[in-house]
């Protein structure tokens, strides 16, 4: 019996590795892109973010985050209205107005100090509220985790972001680089912790992303999934009727 135990354990491990995540039919390709992104991060983005964090005072970094967050709030407001959450949308518009005026263009988050919560909505969430299924999980080069539905955010972020304040491609790229480096600097310690605790970093990031996006669409209260285990989830439409009702209030934004 003892001799058979190692063989049984090895068989179970092999079966576990062969099991495909129901929302990740592109796993083989996604893992290659994920590995590319990890290499790019380790050799370029992380060192730049570490240098940025070292030479830039924390209050300045906080102000930069507030500035970009205030611009994101404009897009969030539009999506709240599209989701039928008019009260939350109006509150988000007030938040943008307060931070833009009293907060010196958004560098100071006066609205949060005045108990105005920040929402986190994008076109991918809006499509989910409207009933569009998420589609398969996708890892894009440089951009990272997404789904077929959330890929619409790429277009949204292109036309509704801080880069619209630039006066040409060069300025746009500088603004985009500052935003990416500033965000990466915020999560330096979190990235190191993930490296230490995750046995399979790819699976950990994928599952965390999908769970977070589902929670955002349903405002932290997703319904139970009732579809059979042998049917791919990405083919099944998500029941977003409840979250589409105006009575559903928004959740505050987690880290982006």
């Amino acid at each position: 019996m003892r001799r058979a135990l190692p063989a049984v354990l090895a068989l179970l491990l092999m079966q576990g590795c062969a099991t495909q995540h129901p929302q990740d039919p592109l796993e083989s390709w996604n893992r290659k892109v994920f590995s590319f992104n990890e290499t790019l991060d380790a050799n370029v983005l992380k060192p730049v973010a570490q240098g940025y964090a070292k030479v830039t005072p924390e209050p300045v970094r906080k102000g930069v985050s507030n500035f970009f967050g205030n611009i994101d709030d404009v897009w969030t407001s539009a999506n709240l209205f599209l989701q039928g959450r008019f009260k939350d949308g109006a509150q988000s518009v007030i938040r943008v107005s307060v931070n833009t005026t009293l907060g010196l263009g958004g560098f100071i988050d006066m609205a949060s100090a005045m108990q105005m919560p920040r929402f986190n909505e994008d076109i991918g969430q809006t499509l989910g509220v409207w009933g569009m299924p998420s589609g398969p999980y996708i890892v894009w080069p440089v951009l990272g985790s997404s789904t077929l539905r959330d890929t619409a955010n790429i277009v949204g972020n292109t036309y509704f972001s801080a880069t619209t304040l630039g006066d040409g491609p060069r300025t746009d790229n500088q603004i985009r680089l500052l935003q990416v480096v500033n965000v990466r600097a915020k999560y330096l310690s979190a990235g190191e912790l993930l490296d230490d605790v995750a046995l399979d970093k790819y699976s950990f990031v994928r599952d965390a992303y999908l769970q977070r996006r589902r929670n955002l669409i349903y405002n932290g209260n997703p319904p139970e999934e009732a579809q059979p285990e042998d049917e791919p989830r990405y083919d099944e439409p998500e029941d977003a009727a409840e979250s589409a009702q105006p009575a559903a209030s928004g959740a505050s934004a987690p880290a982006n």
Side-chain angles (χ1 to χ4, degrees), residues 139-217:
V139 181
W140 291 108
V142 182
L143 300 176
S145 295
S146 184
T147 61
L148 183 60
R149 180 184 63 208
D150 290 345
T151 299
N153 290 326
I154 298 176
V155 179
N157 292 335
T158 299
Y159 292 98
F160 300 94
S161 68
T163 57
T164 58
L165 302 177
D167 57 0
R170 180 177 180 180
T171 306
D172 291 350
N173 290 332
Q174 291 173 341
I175 294 174
R176 188 175 290 109
L177 178 61
L178 174 61
Q179 186 172 14
V180 170
V181 171
N182 186 71
V183 171
R184 184 62 181 91
K186 289 173 58 178
Y187 298 106
L188 285 172
S189 58
E192 294 172 356
L193 178 63
L194 180 59
D195 289 334
D196 293 337
V197 302
L199 296 177
D200 183 357
K201 190 174 181 179
Y202 170 82
S203 296
F204 186 92
V205 171
R206 176 196 62 199
D207 295 345
Y209 176 84
L210 293 174
Q211 182 63 40
R212 174 176 175 269
R213 294 297 295 179
R214 183 170 172 80
N215 284 337
L216 285 174
I217 291 172

Side-chain angles (χ1 to χ4, degrees), residues 94-129:
I94 296 173
R95 176 186 173 85
V96 172
S97 301
V98 168
N99 282 340
T100 302
T101 54
L102 301 181
L104 304 178
F107 284 95
I108 302 175
D109 187 3
M110 298 292 294
S112 292
M114 299 169 65
Q115 305 301 314
M116 297 182 188
R118 164 169 281 159
F119 300 96
N120 179 28
E121 304 296 329
D122 53 47
I123 191 62
Q125 291 168 246
T126 297
L127 293 174
V129 170

Side-chain angles (χ1 to χ4, degrees), residues 8 63 200 231 242 244:
V8 173
D200 183 357
E231 292 185 16
E242 294 182 4

Side-chain angles (χ1 to χ4, degrees), residues 4-179:
L5 184 58
V8 173
L9 291 176
L11 179 61
L12 290 175
L13 287 174
M14 291 176 64
Q15 290 177 340
C17 293
T19 301
Q20 186 180 66
H21 190 283
Q23 283 186 265
D24 194 6
L26 306 174
E27 182 172 351
S28 177
W29 166 258
N30 284 336
R31 282 186 177 273
K32 294 176 183 178
V33 179
F34 182 84
S35 178
F36 167 79
N37 289 345
E38 286 288 286
T39 301
L40 181 65
D41 179 75
N43 292 282
V44 179
L45 187 55
K46 182 178 179 180
V48 172
Q50 289 173 328
Y52 169 78
K54 185 175 182 179
V55 303
T56 308
E58 196 279 335
V60 175
R61 300 199 306 272
K62 180 65 174 178
V64 172
S65 297
N66 290 338
F67 173 76
F68 286 123
N70 189 52
I71 295 176
D72 289 340
D73 285 344
V74 176
W75 185 223
T76 286
S77 301
N79 280 284
L80 285 169
F81 285 118
L82 289 172
Q83 294 173 21
R85 294 162 57 183
F86 302 110
K87 181 179 178 180
D88 294 337
Q91 184 173 344
S92 184
V93 170
I94 296 173
R95 176 186 173 85
V96 172
S97 301
V98 168
N99 282 340
T100 302
T101 54
L102 301 181
L104 304 178
F107 284 95
I108 302 175
D109 187 3
M110 298 292 294
S112 292
M114 299 169 65
Q115 305 301 314
M116 297 182 188
R118 164 169 281 159
F119 300 96
N120 179 28
E121 304 296 329
D122 53 47
I123 191 62
Q125 291 168 246
T126 297
L127 293 174
V129 170
W130 289 351
M132 180 178 179
S134 66
Y137 176 72
I138 303 173
V139 181
W140 291 108
V142 182
L143 300 176
S145 295
S146 184
T147 61
L148 183 60
R149 180 184 63 208
D150 290 345
T151 299
N153 290 326
I154 298 176
V155 179
N157 292 335
T158 299
Y159 292 98
F160 300 94
S161 68
T163 57
T164 58
L165 302 177
D167 57 0
R170 180 177 180 180
T171 306
D172 291 350
N173 290 332
Q174 291 173 341
I175 294 174
R176 188 175 290 109
L177 178 61
L178 174 61
Q179 186 172 14

